Amino acid sequence: MNLFAWLRSAAPILDARQKQRLENLAICAPTNQNPLRQQRWVVLDLETSGLNLNRDLVLSIGAVVIEDGAIDFGQQFERTLLRPDHKLSPSVLLHGLGPSAIAAGSEPVDALLDLMEFVGDSPFMAFHAAFDQHMLTRALKDSLGYRLQHRFLDVAEMAPMLFPHANIRHAGLDDWTAFFGLQAGERHHASADALVTAELALILFSHARKQQIDNPASLEQSLSQWRRRQQSHSFSRSWHAIE
């Protein structure tokens, strides 16, 4: 047996209907220079069995849509993924996902196909987006053999970039919701966290427009420049500490 073939994970087994759905999934649209309010955004939150990027699993998915400059409550997504063989951890219990909730969940293949059909060609937004992006990318690859190419915008980066005077750059979602006086619903629940993230994003979009950041392309460019400044400042502080 070829060693590299043995090391590769087995290809997902999909039935004909699932294969057809997979083939029909939309490709993410390129970044555009239309006003922010004209862009459809899918605000995503994942609840996982833990924080290990390579071992833990996606347990539930929540998503809401920002469209026409507002949260569209007619477009919401929520799924608990069926994980009958997964041992419950304290993290699972924190999310309120007990054995009955997980046992009543959807098969991962169908749940993930449902999600990507819901997303269409829209970009994602999330709080600490790198984690959600990595976990969703791995789940899609393992369950569908699908390569995720949709863009992710990180609300946890937008907030300190647009409100540097808040001085809470490394803060969590609770800190920013408190800063803006938002009323968070049930925390550590995918749908509730996605909703409060969307509310936070709308506040940030409004402030971005006041800074002449009024389209997805300029927002991504501003975030890229902000990251480079943060990295430069971090390197400078480290160098002075060594001296």
Side-chain angles (χ1 to χ4, degrees):
M1 177 183 294
N2 182 284
L3 176 62
F4 294 103
W6 179 81
L7 287 173
R8 285 195 298 268
S9 58
I13 299 176
L14 307 179
D15 62 30
R17 178 185 59 85
Q18 292 166 336
K19 289 179 181 178
Q20 187 62 53
R21 293 178 66 190
L22 181 62
E23 291 176 2
N24 291 338
L25 291 181
I27 299 172
C28 185
T31 304
N32 62 66
Q33 297 191 16
N34 295 327
L36 286 171
R37 67 179 298 110
Q38 292 183 10
Q39 173 67 61
R40 179 181 186 266
W41 304 89
V42 175
V43 186
L44 177 76
D45 185 82
L46 304 178
E47 301 299 346
T48 63
S49 59
L51 299 177
N52 188 299
L53 293 171
N54 298 312
R55 184 181 65 243
D56 284 305
L57 303 173
V58 174
L59 298 177
S60 68
I61 305 169
V64 299
V65 168
I66 293 176
E67 194 165 24
D68 296 326
I71 297 170
D72 184 348
F73 290 98
Q75 299 186 70
Q76 298 189 65
F77 183 92
E78 184 174 11
R79 294 288 188 281
T80 297
L81 274 63
L82 183 64
R83 303 290 189 188
D85 59 343
H86 187 71
K87 296 180 180 179
L88 294 182
S89 68
S91 173
V92 178
L93 299 177
L94 172 66
H95 303 320
L97 297 173
S100 60
I102 294 178
S106 303
E107 290 288 348
V109 168
D110 287 323
L112 292 167
L113 284 168
D114 289 345
L115 172 66
M116 296 311 297
E117 289 171 345
F118 175 83
V119 173
D121 66 354
S122 301
F124 285 103
M125 297 181 69
F127 196 91
H128 292 150
F131 178 80
D132 292 82
Q133 182 176 14
H134 183 98
M135 295 299 289
L136 181 59
T137 296
R138 185 162 64 85
L140 289 166
K141 179 178 181 295
D142 291 346
S143 294
L144 301 177
Y146 176 83
R147 181 185 176 191
L148 181 66
Q149 295 182 305
H150 289 59
R151 305 189 314 282
F152 273 74
L153 199 66
D154 194 349
V155 178
E157 292 183 333
M158 289 172 56
M161 179 188 77
L162 294 169
F163 287 86
H165 61 278
N167 198 30
I168 50 176
R169 184 165 62 89
H170 296 295
L173 184 57
D174 288 331
D175 299 291
W176 283 109
T177 55
F179 178 79
F180 289 110
L182 297 174
Q183 298 297 316
E186 182 183 359
R187 288 286 283 110
H188 302 296
H189 185 280
S191 294
D193 286 356
L195 179 58
V196 74
T197 301
E199 292 173 348
L200 175 57
L202 288 176
I203 294 174
L204 298 175
F205 281 164
S206 177
H207 201 73
R209 286 191 291 270
K210 295 176 183 177
Q211 299 184 24
Q212 285 72 54
I213 304 172
D214 194 27
N215 60 68
S218 63
L219 180 56
E220 290 185 0
Q221 182 180 21
S222 296
L223 282 169
S224 179
Q225 294 170 348
W226 180 83
R227 287 189 209 103
R228 288 197 292 270
R229 289 196 299 271
Q230 300 310 306
Q231 292 168 357
S232 176
H233 292 163
S234 178
F235 176 80
S236 178
R237 287 194 296 268
S238 299
W239 179 255
H240 288 306
I242 294 173
E243 291 181 325

